[in-house]
Amino acid sequence: MHYKDAMERDAKDFADHDEPAELASGTDSMVSSIGLMIRQERQKRKLTLTQVSKKARLSPAFLSLVERGLATPSLGSLAGIAAALNVPVSTFVHVSSTAGAITRAHQRAQFGVEESGLRYERLSTVFPGQQMDAVIIHVPPGYSAETIAHAGEEWLYVLAGELEQTIDGETVTLGPGDTCHFRGDTPHSYGNRGAVPTAVIWVGTVPVFRSNENTQGFHP
């Protein structure tokens, strides 16, 4: 699901009120654990939806959907939210660390962010002075990511399937072997409109796995 329509709704209704999430019957209305944790961390810091969404460069409406368990952020959006709250991504999702410089093709643990359908394989490790992170993203058919923007840059390489990459409102279709390199501060999103899963190598300077906690103060 793409959340463009929700983002275009009056964000003020979401941003200026911290009404408790209603837990009606049925799983669709249940608050997700990630959304609940984000809300708790935000309220602990006495920050509004508008303040956090501005720092994370996300729509207040989308952040409200996340907090209420009605949307699941991608790993990139979650990294932005974590940075806005000054906490590591590991606060919200467990990501196994790799010791040393090598990761083996059939020994990498996959992880996901709740019910987004996305699955990730961590390619990069952590060391002092690290400037980039890397993952393989497995994108299921029908998935569309939210539009985000952030400092730094991103590089993509399509391994299998097709990826629809949108940068500053322009959409291109990338196939196996195609690459895309762009500035992170340009609004961008991606999706898979095909019938088969897409696999993409993503490399970026967004600190997805790095944090003040696990890099001893050299977080970029």
Side-chain angles (χ1 to χ4, degrees):
M1 171 183 178
H2 199 285
Y3 299 100
K4 179 180 178 182
D5 292 340
M7 289 187 205
E8 290 176 348
R9 293 168 56 188
D10 185 3
K12 191 175 186 298
D13 290 340
F14 297 104
D16 294 339
H17 297 86
D18 284 324
E19 72 284 358
E22 295 180 0
L23 298 181
S25 61
T27 57
D28 287 346
S29 60
M30 295 294 286
V31 175
S32 70
S33 58
I34 282 182
L36 186 58
M37 286 188 289
I38 289 171
R39 176 184 286 258
Q40 289 172 341
E41 292 293 334
R42 176 178 64 78
Q43 292 181 338
K44 217 174 5 179
R45 289 158 177 77
K46 302 187 185 307
L47 297 171
T48 66
L49 279 166
T50 299
Q51 290 171 318
V52 175
S53 61
K54 184 176 181 180
K55 290 181 179 179
R57 302 185 72 171
L58 295 168
S59 160
F62 176 73
L63 182 57
S64 176
L65 291 172
V66 170
E67 286 196 355
R68 293 183 293 138
L70 302 177
T72 304
S74 64
L75 187 60
S77 292
L78 192 60
I81 294 169
L85 295 170
N86 197 29
V87 297
V89 174
S90 57
T91 301
F92 308 117
V93 60
H94 175 70
V95 182
S96 299
S97 176
T98 302
I102 307 299
T103 68
R104 299 292 183 184
H106 301 293
Q107 297 176 0
R108 288 189 290 265
Q110 295 191 18
F111 66 95
V113 181
E114 293 196 334
E115 301 303 320
S116 68
L118 296 173
R119 290 295 175 266
Y120 303 89
E121 293 182 52
R122 181 171 177 171
L123 301 178
S124 56
T125 57
V126 176
F127 53 83
Q130 177 190 358
Q131 296 296 311
M132 63 182 65
D133 286 315
V135 293
I136 295 176
I137 309 175
H138 299 276
V139 188
Y143 177 83
S144 291
E146 64 278 8
T147 298
I148 61 174
H150 50 78
E153 56 188 291
E154 297 188 24
W155 180 86
L156 307 173
Y157 179 94
V158 179
L159 293 169
E162 290 189 342
L163 186 77
E164 284 202 351
Q165 181 69 45
T166 301
I167 303 173
D168 203 17
E170 182 178 347
T171 301
V172 295
T173 300
L174 305 174
D178 291 341
T179 68
C180 186
H181 187 194
F182 56 93
R183 291 171 53 116
D185 59 5
T186 304
H188 57 279
S189 65
Y190 64 89
N192 177 5
R193 294 184 181 274
V196 298
T198 297
V200 182
I201 294 176
W202 174 91
V203 180
T205 57
V206 183
V208 175
F209 303 122
R210 292 160 281 158
S211 73
N212 291 322
E213 205 172 78
N214 60 23
T215 57
Q216 302 175 350
F218 49 78
H219 178 45

